[in-house]
Amino acid sequence: MYTTMMRTGVIAMAAMGSFAYAQAGISPYAMHEDARIYVAGHTGLVGTALVECLRAAGFNNIITRTSRELDLCNQAAVDAFFAQERPEYVFLCAAKVGGIGANKDYPADFIYDNVMIGTNVVHAAYKYGVTKLLYLGSSCIYPRMCPQPMKEEYLLTGPLEWTNEPYAIAKIAGIRTCQAYNRQYGTHFISCMPTNLYGPRDNFNLETSHVLPALLMKFYRAKQQGDKHVTVWGTGNALREFLYVEDLADALLFLMQNYDGDDIVNVGTGSEVSILQLVHIIKDAVGFQGELIFDTSKPDGTPRKLLNVDRIHALGWHHQVDLKEGIEKTLAWLENHL
């Protein structure tokens, strides 16, 4: 976990040069206490948790814009924003995201919006001299039949999962854009690959949400309405890994302060559950007593998706919140905010 002690160490190293940073295991491009930090997508699941994490660590010079204030798909608007605000560090959390249903229904939106967001922000970061940028990929962009657990080098080694291919192509383009700018311009743009996320402020819309928040909302509503059963998509056999969003926020801060490599870095727990197991954890947390029905006419998605997290563990970061605790925290937030 990123701590106040680590932040203090960064500040103390600032006057001692790159050798001191290397000896301490801290990036010479790490954020200083008063750094101008732009969090793109600060109102989303990841961005909200990241802003809270940054402030808790003592970083208060945070720049934000809502999507209404700044359309990241508009190159001229993004350019003008960077020219005016001159951020030193950028966390690129903004993206158009959704579950299997949303990806199936809006493929053009998913590829266009995510390609434009990545291209515009990365180019502006280069143009206006951003010290360091962190781009968020996603574990769903690995090949459909990827060897498990998925190592970073497995990216682009096989066909993608068809249910989210437009989104995956756009996110891969963002990662490759960061790497291309590093090679050509000597920038310090890094990328990480989070696993499936969940937590407070998630998208609980049953039409567009990911599997865990969708199931949590289904069971919550079913209990409130006194339903006799809940229908779950697929067979329940698919295997998934889930990371509590506050753990991801901590990992993002850790990577910004400690990692400068051109290779992507997986961020996850390194453990997995079947959808059937997940359903029972959620069912018990909510207290639903009815029947489970699995609609096998609906797709399972990728059969298995587990990240190899050896690289980030070797750097010194580990997750802190287990699945049961994270679901209970998310449910408590949901009950308080509906």
Side-chain angles (χ1 to χ4, degrees):
M1 298 288 282
Y2 187 87
T3 66
T4 301
M5 183 179 296
M6 292 174 66
R7 178 175 63 85
T8 303
V10 169
I11 296 166
M13 291 289 172
M16 297 175 65
S18 60
F19 177 75
Y21 275 103
Q23 292 294 99
I26 298 171
S27 166
Y29 309 102
M31 299 183 296
H32 54 88
E33 190 172 33
D34 299 319
R36 293 176 60 76
I37 304 166
Y38 171 43
V39 178
H42 76 285
T43 61
L45 173 65
V46 176
T48 305
L50 177 58
V51 169
E52 291 179 352
C53 181
L54 287 168
R55 287 178 175 154
F59 298 100
N60 294 306
N61 197 358
I62 300 171
I63 304 164
T64 60
R65 292 291 189 278
T66 65
S67 57
R68 290 185 179 181
E69 294 169 327
L70 175 60
D71 179 5
L72 294 178
C73 292
N74 183 321
Q75 187 178 48
V78 173
D79 190 273
F81 166 76
F82 272 79
Q84 177 182 340
E85 295 295 337
R86 298 287 175 147
E88 299 170 78
Y89 296 86
V90 174
F91 289 90
L92 184 39
C93 306
K96 182 176 181 63
V97 298
I100 292 175
N103 275 270
K104 175 178 174 292
D105 293 340
Y106 307 106
D109 292 349
F110 275 89
I111 196 166
Y112 177 85
D113 287 359
N114 287 303
V115 165
M116 293 301 292
I117 289 169
T119 301
N120 290 340
V121 174
V122 170
H123 183 71
Y126 151 68
K127 183 177 179 181
Y128 292 99
V130 165
T131 301
K132 195 170 180 181
L133 175 146
L134 196 163
Y135 178 87
L136 266 70
S138 169
S139 63
C140 71
I141 73 179
Y142 281 111
R144 171 179 169 80
M145 301 306 293
C146 193
Q148 303 289 321
M150 297 182 289
K151 296 182 179 180
E152 288 89 349
E153 56 264 34
Y154 295 162
L155 185 66
L156 291 175
T157 58
L160 300 168
E161 162 61 33
W162 70 270
T163 56
N164 69 286
E165 185 180 66
Y167 174 80
I169 289 172
K171 299 303 283 186
I172 292 169
I175 290 167
R176 289 299 195 237
T177 299
C178 289
Q179 293 170 335
Y181 275 69
N182 290 344
R183 289 197 302 273
Q184 184 170 341
Y185 298 119
T187 51
H188 304 285
F189 299 162
I190 63 175
S191 301
C192 72
M193 304 280 270
T195 191
N196 299 296
L197 302 172
Y198 70 99
R201 304 176 189 86
D202 209 336
N203 171 19
F204 294 97
N205 184 315
L206 296 181
E207 299 300 321
T208 59
S209 60
H210 289 101
V211 60
L212 193 154
L215 288 171
L216 195 57
M217 177 58 83
K218 274 189 176 184
F219 279 97
Y220 180 79
R221 283 185 176 174
K223 181 184 178 183
Q224 297 299 310
Q225 296 167 179
D227 294 343
K228 301 299 183 183
H229 69 269
V230 167
T231 300
V232 179
W233 276 29
T235 65
N237 295 325
L239 296 169
R240 292 292 182 270
E241 175 187 17
F242 297 97
L243 180 68
Y244 190 58
V245 70
E246 292 177 11
D247 273 338
L248 174 62
D250 186 74
L252 298 181
L253 177 52
F254 176 88
L255 289 170
M256 185 66 91
Q257 299 297 71
N258 294 277
Y259 181 70
D260 293 317
D262 200 43
D263 294 327
I264 59 178
V265 180
N266 288 338
V267 183
T269 66
S271 60
E272 62 189 340
V273 295
S274 69
I275 297 300
L276 177 60
Q277 291 172 312
L278 174 66
V279 164
H280 281 288
I281 293 172
I282 292 175
K283 181 174 180 285
D284 291 344
V286 172
F288 178 73
Q289 301 296 320
E291 180 186 2
L292 298 176
I293 297 175
F294 285 85
D295 183 356
T296 57
S297 70
K298 302 296 185 182
D300 278 333
T302 304
R304 187 183 182 202
K305 192 168 67 171
L306 175 66
L307 291 180
N308 179 299
V309 290
D310 289 349
R311 182 171 291 174
I312 196 166
H313 283 179
L315 291 169
W317 183 88
H318 297 261
H319 78 286
Q320 299 295 313
V321 180
D322 67 25
L323 184 58
K324 182 175 182 294
E325 178 188 357
I327 287 173
E328 290 171 351
K329 287 184 174 184
T330 306
L331 176 60
W333 184 90
L334 180 62
E335 291 173 333
N336 289 329
H337 288 81
L338 277 179

